[in-house]
Structure formats: structure tokens, C-alpha cells
Amino acid sequence: MPHPYLDIQPEVAQALARNQPVVALESTIIAHGMPYPQNVQTALRVEAEVRAHGAVPATIAVLNGRLKAGLTAAEIAELGQAGPKVVKASRRDLPMLVATRATGATTVAGTMIVAALAGIRVFATGGLGGVHRGAEQTMDISADLPELAQTPVAVVCAGAKSILDLALTLEYLETHGVPVLGFQTDVFPAFFTRDSGLPVDCRCDTPAQLAAILRARWGLGHGGVVVANPIPHALAMPRAVIDAATDQALAEARARGIVGKAVTPFLLARVNALTGGDSLAANIGLVLNNAALAAAIATALSPVA
Ligand code: PSU
Ligand code: MN
């Protein structure tokens, strides 16, 4: 039964009907996570990377109040041009967007919700939201984390940025019963760097091993899974460079009193600006790497591929 708020692009619907591999992609990373025009170029390259690895891409957003599983290149370009003017759409934003026929770029949480409605189980992105540093005072915890507890989608990411408190992020995921799987790694990656110093719950060395755990998770009727895929060695950034930019971005956010949903986009933009083109190249490279792994997992899950 199609959902009354949902439009599935014909190519995506056909692949799902045939049990062929499909990979969901988010759109906050396009509108809020990267500058124009690299955001649009990257989004299109990521779709091509999914295809090159044998799956159909479904970039997800809310357009004029419709939940979209699969965008056209023109729709991706519009979101990228509009950038942060578009609503950043997490779980709580969806009813307002639907009711007022507005447009939003979906976060990890928003994308998981739409993917699950469409029947898509594997989703590739860059970095996960998490527990912010100082959350014991601010209570700033990304809605991505409770979404992972309840919605049955695997999120392939390069870990989470060190703008967050990664130890508390993993504690939260443990409390809420979310498995954190490391692809060819024993440690949780920290987005620009490969090693946060914190362990994952389980190391998997092949897409088939990941798929077996996903099948079991969903066979139990449980929710999401984090698949942590470290940035490729050649693109990893020096930790000191990232730490310095992160500390400065956090200090600026505090001084400017940035709160709520503006925190993450502010920090991302400042870290990008302070580290220049290097971090953008690393960001693009790790998203492509995640797209390839997500396509391989979707293929391993697919009974017909
Ligand atoms: N981290 C990144 N890049 C991103 C995001 C996080 O390295 O683009 C985006 C994702 O869309 C994520 C969202 O779901 O930020 C989390 O925002 P918040 O912390 O407000 O939940
Ligand atoms: Mn937040």
C-alpha cells in the first residue's frame, strides 16, 4: 500500500517491487552540510557511485509537503542552490512540512523515516548526529539517535564528527539498544579521522557479515543499526588540524549563543571554513566510500541481485 504522503520515484518503486538493491541518501547534507555548488556535484556523484555498485539511489527530501523517495537531478540542484534557506527536516518537522506543503531537506532521522515508509533498508550518509559536548547542561542530543532505536534502517556513515561527545554518543546508543558495527575496523571512526579511541560493538569484514546482522536485527523486529565505515586512509586528516578547528568552532558557537537545530549546521560550516578545501575533499571522499559500501550491503541483503 503506498503511503498517502509519499511519492516513490518510478525507478525506485520498480527496483523495490523486484527486490533489487536500493540505497537511500539524505538531503540535509546537500542543503546544510556542504557549500554550493560542491553540494550538488557531490550529491550527483554519490548517486552515480551507488549505481556503479549495482544499486538504485533514492535521495530523500520533502518537496512542497510531499515525502519523496528519489529525486530528479533538477530537484537535487534546487535543494543545493537554496541551501540553508530550506528547512532542516528531522522527525519533529515532518508534520509541519506536510500540512503547510513546505520543502525540507531531511536529516539522518528524517531520511530514515521516509526510507522506512518506502521500504528502503539501507542508507548512506557522511556523519551521524549525536550527543553534543556539554549535553549534560544543554540536553542537546540529535534526534538521529532515538530514531536509530526505533526505525529499521541501516545507516552507513564515517562515524560522527568530533564536534560531538563521541563517548556519550556511544553510551546513548548502547542504552537505546542500537548496534554499532565497524566495517573492517575495531574502533568507532571520527569522520575526518579513522580512530576515535572508542570501540565498536562488532567488527565485520565483509558486506555479507553486515547483512547477516541486519537480517537478524530486523528478524527480531528491532530498529536501526549504525554501520561505521572509516574514511579511506589517503583522505584522513591530521588530528591536530581537526581538533584546532573544532575547538575554535565550538568556542564561536558558545560566544554567539547558537542553540537548537542551528548548532550542527553552524559547527559544520565553521569547521569546513577553518580547515579550507582539505576537509571538503575528505568529506566528499568519505561519502562516496559510504555509498559504495551501502550499495554492497543492499546487494547482499537482496534476494535477487
Ligand atoms: N554531521 C555531518 N554532516 C551533516 C550532518 C551531521 O558531518 O550533514 C547533518 C545530518 O543531516 C544529521 C544532522 O542528521 O546534521 C544532525 O543535526 P542535529 O544535530 O541538529 O540533529
Ligand atoms: Mn541538536
Side-chain angles (χ1 to χ4, degrees), residues 56-237:
V56 172
T59 300
I60 285 175
V62 185
L63 301 183
N64 305 313
R66 300 292 300 169
L67 310 183
K68 297 282 183 185
L71 300 184
T72 65
E75 288 166 339
I76 288 173
E78 272 174 45
L79 279 178
Q81 270 158 22
K85 285 195 294 242
V86 170
V87 171
K88 180 181 150 199
S90 193
R91 172 174 279 269
R92 64 130 184 227
D93 305 289
L94 296 179
M96 284 82 89
L97 293 173
V98 169
T100 64
R101 299 196 170 83
T103 291
T106 47
T107 64
V108 168
T111 302
M112 290 176 75
I113 292 166
V114 178
L117 280 179
I120 303 169
R121 295 299 193 126
V122 183
F123 161 23
T125 186
L128 206 59
V131 179
H132 283 260
R133 299 196 199 178
E136 59 275 26
Q137 288 297 324
T138 63
M139 291 186 69
D140 189 351
I141 298 173
S142 173
D144 294 351
L145 300 188
E147 202 61 50
L148 280 157
Q150 67 179 108
T151 301
V153 171
V155 180
V156 182
C157 62
K161 284 205 174 105
S162 56
I163 56 170
L164 302 168
D165 188 321
L166 298 183
L168 292 188
T169 299
L170 293 175
E171 289 289 354
Y172 187 103
L173 291 169
E174 180 195 352
T175 300
H176 292 271
V178 179
V180 177
L181 311 180
F183 182 64
Q184 298 177 347
T185 183
D186 298 299
V187 291
F188 190 64
F191 198 89
F192 290 122
T193 59
R194 291 177 56 89
D195 184 355
S196 66
L198 301 161
V200 295
D201 301 325
C202 180
R203 175 191 176 116
C204 294
D205 286 302
T206 65
Q209 286 171 6
L210 293 165
I213 294 173
L214 296 177
R215 267 194 221 98
R217 170 89 166 153
W218 298 328
L220 289 163
H222 295 177
V225 175
V226 177
V227 176
N229 186 29
I231 185 171
H233 281 282
L235 296 173
M237 307 258 309

Side-chain angles (χ1 to χ4, degrees), residues 29 34-35 37-43 45-46 49 125-126 191-192 231-232 235 272 277-291:
I29 192 174
M34 281 186 197
Q38 288 92 343
N39 56 356
V40 174
Q41 290 160 4
T42 302
R45 277 180 71 192
V46 170
E49 190 72 4
T125 186
F191 198 89
F192 290 122
I231 185 171
L235 296 173
N272 284 351
D278 289 356
S279 73
L280 186 58
N283 198 340
I284 293 167
L286 67 81
V287 178
L288 291 168
N289 190 46
N290 294 342

